[in-house]
């Protein structure tokens, strides 16, 4: 038996492959960036988008906000309407033609552009090159502030306990939870408290929340309970889809606790006036 | 209204959403699952304490499975040749009916009356207990969890821990009622009661049935892991052993088993290895003291070749049945295994069941996920479950007259109305002028937002658009040029 075992033909798949390299960041801050505001921020949390612009400007970066932008296409994509998603994505592509970084104040939308746009255009070689270049220069806001701007935040607010909620796709595709934690840790008067089952989904999932309202409702109920039980004075998140879900549920439950976008929280804590 | 198909059937009344609703209201069930899943997640995390090692091993596991699937037909032939050389009789079944007919013919050839079964999910696919019972043959489950659900006329709620939906108290009542033993909640005592009952059955059984974890093509070996010893008893004590397995379980050689076995036991229960690892290489030889006189292997397709035919969906067949995806799934944890209504629950169930029963029979399976990605993150063989769920959603909304159908029952959620809605959404998001007009009215008329927005307001207060959109704020803040007004 052992003879059989060791004389097996050599094969490329016998050895564990090396781990993927972590993302490399530019060594210098760019002079100019694009901001992709996302559809949810545009209509429901516009001040978060504006605070993201202000944070970037404070770093000495010029911000361009193409007015033709709308949605990254994720709602249709995750619902299986791939063609509709592709055409909406195509409309965004044209707006970000310059070689500037694209900063997105939402981990899940950033992940859509960075990881799923190349999938959407895999059968269109000419567009694909453009899409891959865009994916390469797409950053979630917290990631950009931390790793490209290398911000140093100076806390000017009173002592506060906050809970950080990270969208699942942002966590798994963009490591947004790590970036959020690192930025909050720079704020001397902010204590980040853990909440029960922190890494678990809040139940939003885009159209899942309306297709499966019972299950989604059970999930957001558990999430809001965990957030309330954490002792946090407020909730911070880098994703407005989750915030709409969590805040909407907290409001329905007549709770005072609310979630705020990380951009607005950082801007206000560091002396900015919204 | 003579058309019978228009009359609502029991199935329509008792669909996934209805079962989910019921399960969500069952506090005991939810506590049982939450407690059990939390414990399993902790065990797995402890077993993979080195994240780098875990990720490299997962990548290796993925490669091993991908290689096996890339030459599946060839490996199956080699498996058959080598098993036959070892004295094992190989049978091929395309459907569960064929598989049951094969098992029945073996049973009849031996005039068997009693069958003892080790844990096998493929036998659940076949509903073997039910089929055999209908022929007057007793088929007893010997895995403790399976025994408990069989005793309560239930189906497994988890692929590794079939009775995980029950706590010790519920098992105590069941044993008390069905076996007439004194009520005890002591887990060790409960297990002893079960074992004593089963012990005698191993010796009485004419035939032992088992599943297979890995079928090794190069050596013709059937590998079976278990923790209770019932697998070894079922496959060695009765004079005939019938193994049933899916065609995707084949691996190339024994070396391939090493990483997969480690991934399987650590992902499933956080064990470095299971208590028993059985390697079955044929019936008892002339000089051997024990083992069955006959060994059969039934290789079942049951929709697997449909998944195999598509490059993306093929990855579904990487699965080594560890159950980690369900342990980490926020939906499974809340609704439990029975809500899925089929043999395989949880994330893997959502992507494999449509191939077995047709997408139209499980139309809600692809959408019962927030696509949070917890399943894909823990899958030991890196099946991109969320991507496959998304893909199944795509197949599920295709028009019924699609000229190139990918899977049986596709298009079961086709809705011209919803398609039109998404076309409208596309128009809105590809026409800046239209988008601008829409957001102008949405923000200016925010006071008119209805307080009841269908399912959203079941769990939330109604969302109210802001007074001005980010487009407007950015234009004002950045100025016309920076705002890049078209």
């Amino acid at each position: 038996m052992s003879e059989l075992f060791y004389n097996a033909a050599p094969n490329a798949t016998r050895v564990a492959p090396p781990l993927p390299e972590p993302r490399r960041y530019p060594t210098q801050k760019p002079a100019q960036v694009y901001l992709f505001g996302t559809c949810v921020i545009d209509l429901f949390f516009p001040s978060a988008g504006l605070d993201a612009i202000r944070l970037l400007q404070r770093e000495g970066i010029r911000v361009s906000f193409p007015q033709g932008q709308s949605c990254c296409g994720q709602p249709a994509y995750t619902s299986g309407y791939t063609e509709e998603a592709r055409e909406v994505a195509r409309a965004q592509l044209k707006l970000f033609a310059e070689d500037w970084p694209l900063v997105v104040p939402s981990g899940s939308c950033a992940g859509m552009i960075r990881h799923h746009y190349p999938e959407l255009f895999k059968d269109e070689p000419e567009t694909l090159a453009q899409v891959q270049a865009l994916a390469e220069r797409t950053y979630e806001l917290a990631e950009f502030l931390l790793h490209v701007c290398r911000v140093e935040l100076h806390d000017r607010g009173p002592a506060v306990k906050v809970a950080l909620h990270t969208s699942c796709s942002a966590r798994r595709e963009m490591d947004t939870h790590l970036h959020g934690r690192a930025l909050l840790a720079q704020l001397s008067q902010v204590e980040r408290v853990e909440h029960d089952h922190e890494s678990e989904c809040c139940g939003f999932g885009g159209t899942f929340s309306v297709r499966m309202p019972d299950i989604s409702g059970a999930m957001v109920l558990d999430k809001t309970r965990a957030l309330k039980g954490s002792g946090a004075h407020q909730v911070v998140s880098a994703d407005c889809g989750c915030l709409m879900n969590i805040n909407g549920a907290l409001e329905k439950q007549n709770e005072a606790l609310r979630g705020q976008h990380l951009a607005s929280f950082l801007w206000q804590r560091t002396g900015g006036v919204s | 209204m003579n058309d019978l198909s228009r009359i609502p059937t029991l199935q329509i009344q008792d669909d996934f959403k209805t079962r989910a609703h019921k399960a969500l209201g069952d506090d005991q069930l939810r506590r049982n699952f939450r407690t059990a899943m939390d414990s399993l997640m902790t065990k797995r995390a402890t077993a993979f304490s080195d994240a780098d090692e875990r990720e490299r091993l997962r990548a290796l596991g993925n490669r091993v499975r991908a290689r096996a699937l890339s030459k599946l037909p060839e490996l199956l032939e080699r498996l058959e040749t080598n098993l036959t050389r070892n004295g094992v009789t190989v049978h091929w079944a395309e459907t569960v009916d064929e598989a049951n007919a094969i098992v029945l013919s073996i049973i009849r050839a031996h005039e068997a009356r009693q069958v003892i079964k080790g844990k096998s999910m493929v036998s659940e696919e076949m509903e073997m207990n039910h089929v055999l019972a209908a022929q007057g043959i007793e088929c007893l489950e010997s895995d403790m969890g399976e025994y408990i659900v069989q005793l309560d006329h239930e189906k497994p709620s988890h692929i590794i821990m079939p009775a995980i939906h029950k706590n010790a108290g519920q098992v105590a009542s069941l044993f008390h009622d069905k076996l007439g033993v004194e009520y005890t909640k002591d887990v060790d005592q409960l297990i002893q009661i079960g074992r004593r009952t089963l012990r005698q059955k191993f010796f009485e059984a004419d035939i032992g049935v088992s599943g297979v974890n890995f079928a090794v093509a190069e050596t013709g070996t059937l590998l079976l892991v278990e923790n209770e010893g019932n697998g070894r008893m079922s496959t060695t004590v009765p004079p005939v052993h019938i193994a049933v397995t899916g065609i995707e379980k084949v691996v190339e050689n024994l070396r391939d088993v090493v990483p997969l076995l480690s991934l399987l036991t650590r992902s499933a229960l956080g064990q470095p290895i299971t208590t028993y690892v059985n390697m079955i290489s044929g019936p008892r030889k002339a000089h051997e003291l024990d083992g069955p006189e006959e060994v059969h292997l039934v290789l079942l397709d049951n929709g697997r070749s449909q998944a195999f035919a598509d490059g993306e969906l093929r990855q579904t067949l990487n699965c080594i049945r560890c159950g980690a995806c369900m342990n980490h799934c926020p939906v499974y944890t809340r609704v439990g295994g029975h809500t899925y209504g089929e043999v395989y629950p949880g994330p893997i169930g959502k992507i494999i069941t449509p191939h077995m029963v047709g997408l139209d029979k499980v139309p809600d399976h692809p959408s019962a996920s927030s696509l949070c990605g917890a399943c894909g993150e823990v899958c030991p063989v890196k099946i991109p479950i969320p991507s496959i769920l998304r893909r199944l959603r795509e197949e599920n909304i295709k028009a019924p007259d699609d000229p190139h159908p990918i899977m049986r029952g596709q298009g079961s959620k086709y809705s011209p109305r919803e398609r039109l809605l998404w076309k409208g959404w596309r128009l809105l998001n590809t026409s800046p002028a239209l988008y601008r007009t829409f957001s102008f009215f949405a923000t200016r008329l925010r006071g008119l937002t209805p307080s009841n927005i269908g399912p959203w307001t079941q769990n939330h207060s109604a969302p109210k658009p802001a007074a001005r959109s980010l487009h407007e704020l950015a234009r004002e803040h950045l100025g016309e040029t920076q705002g890049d007004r078209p």
Side-chain angles (χ1 to χ4, degrees), chain A residues 50-200:
Chain A
L50 196 58
D51 292 334
I53 293 175
R54 288 168 168 145
L55 283 165
L56 292 165
Q57 286 180 321
R58 194 169 64 188
E59 295 303 307
I61 296 169
R62 295 185 349 141
V63 179
S64 170
F65 183 93
Q67 284 281 323
Q69 61 177 279
S70 54
C71 170
C72 67
Q74 192 174 185
Y77 184 67
T78 54
S79 300
Y81 289 88
T82 312
E83 197 189 318
E84 283 73 13
R86 190 181 299 118
E87 293 318 306
V88 168
R90 198 190 305 280
Q92 314 309 312
L93 273 183
K94 293 185 232 156
L95 302 166
F96 305 103
E98 299 290 339
D99 191 22
W100 307 329
L102 176 65
V103 180
V104 188
S106 154
S108 76
C109 306
M112 175 71 193
I113 298 171
R114 197 165 151 71
H115 300 290
H116 301 290
Y117 273 22
E119 179 64 25
L120 268 180
F121 292 96
K122 64 175 191 289
D123 297 326
E124 298 181 31
E126 278 174 31
T127 320
L128 185 60
Q130 191 192 344
V131 164
Q132 279 167 337
L134 179 68
E136 247 345 277
R137 57 186 163 90
T138 298
Y139 301 88
E140 186 273 324
L141 174 73
E143 174 188 33
F144 190 78
L145 290 172
L146 188 71
H147 289 306
V148 183
C149 299
R150 299 174 180 86
V151 285
E152 287 177 26
L153 300 169
H154 300 288
D155 196 3
R156 301 206 175 144
V160 68
K161 284 183 185 177
V162 302
L164 178 69
H165 171 75
T166 308
S167 121
C168 299
S169 47
R171 170 188 298 272
R172 300 199 167 92
E173 292 178 345
M174 303 296 287
D175 284 339
T176 304
H177 59 305
L178 302 178
H179 306 138
R181 282 178 203 169
L183 289 174
L184 290 178
Q186 290 188 11
L187 301 171
S188 53
Q189 291 284 84
V190 173
E191 185 192 343
R192 185 177 63 82
V193 293
E194 298 271 338
H195 61 276
D196 190 34
H197 290 89
E198 184 162 317
S199 65
E200 198 171 82

Side-chain angles (χ1 to χ4, degrees), chain B residues 417-481:
Chain B
R417 190 177 149 269
E418 192 179 329
R419 188 158 284 276
L420 196 67
L421 268 172
W422 285 109
K423 291 237 181 287
W425 172 88
R426 166 181 163 178
L427 188 67
L428 176 70
N429 286 292
T430 49
S431 331
L434 189 62
Y435 185 86
R436 186 192 277 245
T437 314
F438 166 77
S439 59
F440 178 84
F441 284 109
T443 49
R444 295 321 187 272
L445 303 177
R446 60 198 289 259
L448 302 180
T449 312
S451 60
N452 181 349
I453 317 176
W456 178 261
T457 38
Q458 180 182 325
N459 304 309
H460 310 87
S461 61
K464 204 178 199 181
R468 298 168 74 201
S469 71
L470 177 60
H471 278 70
E472 286 179 68
L473 298 182
R475 200 155 60 225
E476 186 180 283
H477 180 79
L478 297 170
E480 294 293 325
T481 44

Side-chain angles (χ1 to χ4, degrees), chain B residues 203 214 252 280 303 305 312 316 346 357 359 408 473:
Chain B
F203 297 104
F214 306 106
E252 192 164 2
I280 300 157
S305 39
E312 185 179 17
T316 309
V357 302
L359 197 46
R408 190 153 61 97
L473 298 182

Side-chain angles (χ1 to χ4, degrees), chain B residues 362-380:
Chain B
V362 284
D364 286 320
H365 267 44
S367 39
S369 164
S370 66
L371 299 185
C372 79
C375 48
E377 188 178 58
V378 298
C379 175

